[in-house]
Amino acid sequence: MRHYFIFLIAAVFCFTSTSAQTSCSAYYPMVDGASFQYTNYDKKGKEDGKLSYKVTNVNGSGDNISATMVMDMEDKKGNMYSSEYDITCNGNVVKVDFKSLMNEQMLAQMGDVEMDISGTDVEWPNNLGVGQELPDGNVNVKMKMSGVMNMNMNVETINRKVEKKESVTTPAGTFDCFVIYSETKSKMMMANQTFPSRVWLAEGVGMVKQESYNKKGNLMSTSVLTQFSK
């Protein structure tokens, strides 16, 4: 279950940009019922699970909109996990509320656990440009699990930068994208790890592709948009 939660946090950092365009958000899903499916592949190109999103509970109008992202994750063994988190749009910036990850549905899937989450919300501005640096984000998790030792975990997304523009083709179509580089830095127990990644982001669609690398820069996993509707 601890592994599941770490995967969930990483998924939110990497996949918070799926979207249907509105006047408030160019890269976030602020339309009720919009849905997206991503297929994950390992470093050898073999299918390694799926990740689906659906937008619900859209409220507000103009430059102030909030919504809930419902996530369903399926690993390569067919195990299913679900969670949700809140996003808000205020003017030109969209934020992800990590505290909302600590919901009853997620805790129930982890068993007997008490959890405290804090940190800095991840921000995505509507106006992206090549060379632009984006704000860092982080989430701190303190868990008390029945029958095991307490665990503290910190996950940061750092060195976020818009590298270039590039056209990308996936099973869902061909898209003109911004390529955004970042590094995910995790600290848990005595282990510290940093994983670089790149996200291909298309206006009005959101994340089209994502690649994760090891510390040597070798490709470790890929996710691509395979279905979407809005």
Side-chain angles (χ1 to χ4, degrees):
M1 283 296 124
R2 285 179 294 177
H3 174 75
Y4 158 63
F5 185 74
I6 295 170
F7 174 74
L8 186 150
I9 290 289
V12 174
F13 270 122
C14 293
F15 297 109
T16 49
S17 52
T18 55
S19 75
Q21 189 174 8
T22 71
S23 60
C24 184
S25 171
Y27 297 100
Y28 266 78
M30 298 296 190
V31 176
D32 254 319
S35 63
F36 302 79
Q37 183 186 79
Y38 296 87
T39 301
N40 305 324
Y41 300 92
D42 64 18
K43 62 182 179 181
K44 295 182 179 180
K46 295 182 179 179
E47 187 171 327
D48 197 30
K50 295 183 185 294
L51 179 63
S52 300
Y53 291 88
K54 187 173 182 179
V55 185
T56 63
N57 300 326
V58 177
N59 292 290
S61 61
D63 289 340
N64 291 278
I65 298 177
S66 64
T68 299
M69 294 291 292
V70 178
M71 293 194 303
D72 291 316
M73 295 173 283
E74 180 181 0
D75 65 21
K76 62 183 178 182
K77 296 181 180 180
N79 298 314
M80 298 291 296
Y81 304 100
S82 298
S83 189
E84 61 184 45
Y85 58 91
D86 297 328
I87 58 176
T88 58
C89 179
N90 185 358
N92 291 321
V93 176
V94 177
K95 294 183 178 182
V96 176
D97 180 11
F98 282 104
K99 292 182 181 179
S100 64
L101 281 170
M102 195 171 57
N103 55 68
E104 293 182 2
Q105 183 183 31
M106 186 271 290
L107 293 177
Q109 291 175 101
M110 295 190 68
D112 187 7
V113 58
E114 296 180 9
M115 190 178 306
D116 179 61
I117 299 179
S118 61
T120 303
D121 294 340
V122 170
E123 296 183 1
W124 288 87
N126 280 333
N127 299 318
L128 296 178
V130 175
Q132 182 178 0
E133 295 183 359
L134 304 179
D136 294 343
N138 71 81
V139 58
N140 301 291
V141 181
K142 295 180 180 180
M143 289 194 291
K144 295 182 180 180
M145 305 180 70
S146 177
V148 298
M149 68 179 68
N150 297 340
M151 184 180 72
N152 295 332
M153 179 177 65
N154 176 263
V155 180
E156 298 177 272
T157 176
I158 60 176
N159 298 327
R160 301 172 70 210
K161 184 176 181 178
V162 183
E163 289 186 323
K164 58 184 177 179
K165 294 194 73 174
E166 186 173 85
S167 178
V168 174
T169 298
T170 77
T174 298
F175 308 91
D176 292 326
C177 301
F178 284 105
V179 182
I180 300 168
Y181 174 87
S182 66
E183 296 171 1
T184 300
K185 185 177 181 181
S186 66
K187 297 179 182 179
M188 183 178 65
M189 306 295 284
M190 300 298 292
N192 297 332
Q193 296 179 310
T194 300
F195 298 99
S197 66
R198 285 182 173 86
V199 169
W200 281 255
L201 191 67
E203 186 172 350
V205 177
M207 197 194 79
V208 171
K209 179 181 176 181
Q210 186 264 343
E211 292 184 345
S212 296
Y213 315 93
N214 62 18
K215 61 182 180 180
K216 295 182 179 180
N218 297 321
L219 181 66
M220 297 300 295
S221 64
T222 304
S223 295
V224 298
L225 180 67
T226 48
Q227 297 179 22
F228 77 94
S229 63
K230 53 185 179 180

